[in-house]
Amino acid sequence: MTKTNDQRQIQSDFDLQQKALGRRKFLRNTGAALTAGALVSMIACDKDDDNDGVNFGSGDFAILNYAYALEQLEAAFYIQVITTPYTGISSAESSLLTDIRDHEIAHREFFKAALGTNAIQALEVDFSSVNFNSRDSVLMTAKAFEDLGVSAYNGAGRYIASVDYLLLAGKIVSVEARHAAYIRDLLSNGSFADSTVIDANGLEMSRKPRAVLDIAKTYIKTKLNASSLPA
């Protein structure tokens, strides 16, 4: 399949940032699932209101912008983790956390390209509560972000009308779940799937968009308007 100009630009940006193995394969796989029909332009909405904050828009674009906001947050966090490694970080941990960083950047850039002019602005983050010199502080925050991300995608899936977008969300949430399992095992081996994230039926727990943003807003300085998202 011939790549779009957006996909080629994304690939070029990633090659300059990192040579991590597997990144380009990820982009090819996710990019192939996004058909031209899923990118048909919809009526643009005002995403930044001076009084109410950044608005996510409506319909599928609202859900995609919601996911884009979360991926911005995760990408910014892991970029900081790798830029200022915590004390005593091992080469294995550094390598795998770098892979996670690259995945999150890929997710962020993919949503940005897919949304085009409907994308919300770049968000300003606040990690003042995180001690990036401390392994425990970094990994506990990573655990919170990854668990939240998985629950966010699981909770948002029901609101996605486009089959193409739903397929992409399913591919991304499975990657996020792999991240969550790895981070959890770094903190406590064997805790990758405990009762705090999986219910008695063996099903991953989910959260609705506004509930997720209520948790995430601790780390986001930019004011968000979630009125168009499901309560």
Side-chain angles (χ1 to χ4, degrees), residues 5 9 29 34 81 86 94 102 105 111 117 120 140 171 194 200 204:
N5 290 333
Q9 182 60 51
N29 290 342
L34 190 57
V81 170
Y86 51 77
S94 178
D102 294 339
I105 291 173
F111 278 116
T117 59
I120 60 172
M140 287 300 293
K171 288 186 173 185
D194 62 25
E204 186 81 22

Side-chain angles (χ1 to χ4, degrees), residues 77-78 96-97 100 135 138-144 146-147 176-189 191-192:
F77 172 72
Y78 285 108
L96 288 167
L97 289 171
I100 294 178
R135 182 179 188 271
V138 168
L139 294 184
M140 287 300 293
T141 305
K143 173 178 174 288
E146 296 298 348
D147 286 348
E176 298 290 352
R178 292 174 187 271
H179 295 171
Y182 170 67
I183 296 296
R184 282 172 154 270
D185 267 3
L186 280 182
L187 284 165
S188 178
N189 187 258
S191 64
F192 67 95

Side-chain angles (χ1 to χ4, degrees), residues 60 63 66 151-162 165-166 169-170 206-207 209:
D60 278 358
I63 301 301
Y66 161 64
S151 69
Y153 277 101
N154 286 336
R158 74 188 73 179
Y159 306 113
I160 299 175
S162 166
Y165 289 147
L166 185 59
S206 64
R207 290 184 177 93

Side-chain angles (χ1 to χ4, degrees), residues 67-85:
Y68 177 41
L70 296 177
E71 296 297 351
Q72 286 191 52
L73 179 62
E74 287 189 303
F77 172 72
Y78 285 108
I79 287 171
Q80 187 62 48
V81 170
I82 299 305
T83 302
T84 57

